[in-house]
């Protein structure tokens, strides 16, 4: 097995927002134990990049800054996705001296009413936090962390992407947009209520979404894409020649202290191993890679587009 170089670590499932599409809202609420966090790092000495993000607001973890410092002390790059609601003066100063590679702030719309309807939080406060973070970074003469936005696109917010881009430009951000459609994997979609299910992209929505995403990719100033965890993890991925990057050289540590293949695996039966059990995790990774190589989507990966692309490529090459 390749070494695990990239890991997403979920500091907590607690959140002060209430997004209707968030799996975390129906999961056990709690924080990752410090001991499990350190045990995971100890068991994976090849780590190059950790993304502190999961189904809760990372900055609510009482030891978030200790986590970032522990990673940096080990030479591991650190990225953060936050809902942006806790970006007060003190946290911003701490974030700017923490040595983070990237910070992305999540939102679906820059319209305050739509934002509140979807997230249950105040857009003005988030906007103020983004402006303050970007201004303080400039004032300090720092180029890192790059600052961008993470966007989940619902059917009703495809048209809101322009407003998000306007915000990006107005605040002179440089970390790009991480744009993904509302998740269709069962581990997420099974938790949606009927109103949220109606927000899944369908038919013509997809054409609009893909066209807009491609246009945005070219329109926005973006710096150092190698700083983004997901870009680095998927760099050079070709389903015809390689397996899933998560299974090859990635791992997901959830807030219960259990390792899985990626964030899509939320059932207890999906668990690979305890945080410290590197051999157990490697064995489960190898088993899923073997299943994909036989042209079969493992049960834990059902509905995943990466798994589907790999299986399609294996099926074509076997024909
Ligand atoms: S802000 Fe993020 S973690 Fe919090 S409810 Fe929304 S999607 Fe979930
Ligand atoms: S194939 Fe999909 S579900 Fe399976 S580990 Fe990879 S990203 Fe996750």
């Amino acid at each position: 097995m390749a070494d695990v170089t990239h890991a997403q670590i979920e500091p907590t499932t607690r959140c002060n927002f209430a997004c209707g599409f968030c799996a975390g809202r129906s999961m056990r609420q709690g924080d990752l134990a410090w001991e499990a966090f350190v045990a995971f790092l100890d068991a994976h000495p090849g780590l190059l990049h950790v993304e502190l993000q999961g189904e809760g607001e990372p900055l609510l973890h009482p030891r978030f800054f200790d986590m970032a410092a522990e990673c940096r002390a080990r030479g591991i790059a650190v990225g953060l996705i936050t809902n942006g609601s806790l970006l007060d003066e003190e946290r911003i100063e701490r974030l700017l001296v923490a040595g983070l590679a990237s910070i992305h702030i999540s939102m679906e719309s820059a319209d305050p009413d739509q934002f509140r309807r979807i997230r249950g939080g105040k857009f003005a406060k988030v906007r103020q936090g983004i402006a303050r973070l970007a201004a303080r970074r400039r004032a300090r003469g720092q180029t890192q962390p790059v600052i961008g936005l993470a966007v989940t696109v619902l059917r009703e917010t495809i048209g809101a992407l322009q407003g998000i881009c306007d915000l990006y430009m107005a605040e002179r951000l440089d970390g790009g947009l991480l744009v993904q459609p509302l998740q269709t994997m069962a581990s997420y979609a099974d938790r949606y209520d009927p109103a949220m299910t109606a927000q899944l992209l369908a038919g013509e929505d997809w054409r609009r979404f893909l066209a807009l995403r491609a246009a945005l990719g070219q329109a926005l100033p973006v710096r150092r894409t190698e700083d983004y965890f997901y870009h680095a993890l998927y760099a050079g991925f070709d389903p015809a020649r390689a397996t899933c990057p998560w299974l090859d050289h990635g791992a997901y540590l959830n807030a219960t202290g259990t390792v899985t293949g990626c964030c899509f695996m939320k059932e207890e039966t999906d668990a690979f191993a305890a945080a410290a059990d590197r051999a157990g995790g490697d064995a489960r990774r190898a088993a899923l890679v073997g299943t994909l190589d036989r042209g079969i989507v493992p049960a834990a990966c059902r509905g995943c587009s990466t798994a589907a692309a790999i299986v399609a490529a294996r099926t074509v090459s076997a024909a």
Side-chain angles (χ1 to χ4, degrees):
M1 294 297 301
D3 207 355
V4 172
T5 53
H6 288 69
Q8 184 176 338
I9 296 181
E10 178 178 70
T12 183
T13 50
R14 296 183 298 120
C15 191
N16 54 344
F17 278 5
C19 306
F21 54 81
C22 181
R25 308 294 38 85
S26 55
M27 290 163 61
R28 188 188 72 83
Q29 300 296 282
D31 298 340
L32 176 63
W34 176 256
E35 294 72 21
F37 170 75
V38 173
F40 178 79
L41 296 187
D42 287 345
H44 299 85
L47 279 170
L48 300 174
H49 204 143
V50 158
E51 184 81 353
L52 292 172
Q53 184 240 334
E55 306 294 350
E57 170 48 43
L59 293 174
L60 283 175
H61 193 290
R63 300 194 67 177
F64 171 84
F65 288 100
D66 291 335
M67 288 180 169
E70 185 65 31
C71 289
R72 296 301 298 128
R74 296 173 187 235
I76 302 169
V78 179
L80 163 68
I81 298 183
T82 170
N83 67 23
S85 65
L86 301 171
L87 296 175
D88 57 20
E89 299 279 1
E90 186 199 334
R91 285 198 188 87
I92 285 173
E93 288 308 313
R94 296 183 76 183
L95 285 168
L96 290 174
V97 298
L100 301 184
S102 64
I103 299 177
H104 286 82
I105 296 98
S106 55
M107 65 178 61
E108 293 70 47
S109 173
D111 173 81
D113 292 335
Q114 196 172 34
F115 184 97
R116 176 176 274 291
R117 232 178 23 253
I118 294 170
R119 306 219 123 207
K122 283 193 185 141
F123 174 72
K125 193 172 177 201
V126 172
R127 173 76 193 245
Q128 189 182 48
I130 295 170
R132 201 185 276 149
L133 175 65
R136 284 301 303 149
R137 195 197 71 180
R138 281 195 297 275
R140 293 173 67 94
Q142 292 181 210
T143 54
Q144 283 195 304
V146 294
I147 304 167
L149 303 172
V151 185
T152 297
V153 178
L154 283 58
R155 172 176 262 177
E156 69 163 304
T157 61
I158 297 177
L161 278 169
Q162 187 57 56
I164 290 175
C165 289
D166 293 345
L167 184 160
Y168 183 99
M169 297 298 284
E171 301 302 344
R172 296 152 62 190
L173 305 186
D174 56 2
L177 296 186
L178 303 176
V179 183
Q180 59 168 358
L182 182 61
Q183 188 49 248
T184 57
M185 286 277 293
S187 51
Y188 287 81
D190 285 356
R191 300 168 198 257
Y192 300 159
D193 64 18
M196 190 51 64
T197 301
Q199 292 299 332
L200 287 164
L201 303 196
E204 172 65 7
D205 301 332
W206 278 102
R207 196 198 57 74
R208 281 180 69 208
F209 166 70
L210 293 172
L212 261 170
R213 188 166 71 173
L216 296 177
Q218 289 155 14
L220 295 178
V222 177
R223 196 164 47 80
R224 295 173 58 85
T225 53
E226 68 271 24
D227 288 334
Y228 311 162
F229 175 85
Y230 301 101
H231 289 214
L233 176 67
Y234 270 80
F237 169 59
D238 175 355
R241 295 151 60 97
T243 193
C244 168
W246 283 101
L247 297 174
D248 183 61
H249 53 277
Y252 185 90
L253 176 65
N254 66 39
T256 65
T258 306
V259 178
T260 68
C262 71
C263 69
F264 295 146
M265 299 181 181
K266 302 235 176 278
E267 303 303 325
E268 276 180 28
T269 48
D270 295 335
F272 279 16
D277 182 6
R278 173 63 188 271
D282 281 355
R284 288 295 296 274
R285 286 199 293 141
L288 294 192
V289 168
T291 305
L292 284 168
D293 279 343
R294 292 198 303 281
I296 300 166
V297 175
C301 304
R302 207 163 287 148
C304 170
S305 56
T306 300
I310 293 166
V311 165
R314 301 293 186 277
T315 309
V316 167
S317 65

